[in-house]
Amino acid sequence: RLSAGMDRLASFGNDPFDKPPCRGCSSYLMEPYIKCAECGPPPFLMCLQCFARGFEYKKHHSDHKYEIMTSDFPILDSSWTAQEEMALLEAVMDCGFGNWQDVANQIRTKTKEECEKHYMKHFINNPLFSSTLLTLKQVEEAKSADMAITFHPSDDPPRPTFDSVLSRDMAGYMPARADFIEEFDNYAEWDLRDIDFVEDDSDLLHALKIAVVEIYHSRLKERQRRKKIIRDHGLISLRKFQILERRYPKEVQDFYEILRRFARILGSAEHDKFIESHAL
């Protein structure tokens, strides 16, 4: 019941501007509203007035099956509606955990004490969530139990001043954000800025737009692949990485330099084991 309810919440928001307008009169949708169960994607949404007069448009007919979209139902607690659950989560993200008075002011329908009690009970101390987190932790520990413990200089990288020599050595890495000032393929998103999927698109135009999105997705995967190599091998903190290399004899250092390009194929532990096996 919980997972089904949370899935239904994905399409709800406090702001009517977050939802597409009514397909009949173009007005902003206020709950409850109607969603055609046979049309889409994109979803075919109507206000109650257009639904009552039997509005039809292209492939949509008035005799289609439909769903009544509303968040006025309980999920975790009979005294909290789904809309209030979403408002609570959004308020905690906006105001920060523990700022219950600000959270209550943003929700408006609950007191400070009610917000704190409900959040702690259902989102912090909920056995369902706790057991899920424990299971994920156990799986992760089991995966890494038989792996060598590798030193990662990137675990605690230095925080140099902007545009310093060390900052340039770190390729503009920002430790506080755990990301780079400039991404690999930094303008990949530009190809998507003018793309809009509409129902009137021809099959060819729709296929072309899908192809552009798939190309963009492959560029994102390459961006993440490069970041993973950098982080797995501790390349962010370059000076610490160079110090680690010097622990090997001179002939092994030369060998390490030759094989550096293959580090992207092996994991950090496997690559170190391979190098050390030749240092014996």
Side-chain angles (χ1 to χ4, degrees), residues 12 16 45-46 57 70 92 96-97 109 137 153 171 180 196 199 211 222 224-226 241 264 268:
F12 297 131
L45 308 178
M46 292 179 291
Y57 180 75
T70 178
V92 171
F97 176 79
T109 59
K137 182 178 180 182
F180 295 89
D196 186 20
E199 190 175 358
E222 175 61 17
Q224 292 305 314
R225 186 186 73 87
R226 290 172 179 253
F241 182 76
R264 70 185 69 181
S268 56

Side-chain angles (χ1 to χ4, degrees), residues 152-167:
H152 293 285
S154 58
D155 286 346
D156 186 22
R159 297 171 181 256
T161 57
F162 177 72
D163 206 30
S164 62
V165 174
L166 183 54
S167 175

Side-chain angles (χ1 to χ4, degrees), residues 114-145:
E114 288 173 328
C115 292
E116 180 178 6
K117 180 180 178 181
H118 184 81
Y119 192 87
M120 295 301 296
K121 177 181 178 181
H122 294 288
F123 296 102
I124 300 298
N125 300 322
N126 190 330
L128 173 63
F129 296 154
S130 300
S131 62
T132 301
L133 292 174
L134 179 60
T135 301
L136 292 175
K137 182 178 180 182
Q138 291 172 340
V139 170
E140 188 64 28
E141 290 176 348
K143 288 167 59 179
S144 58

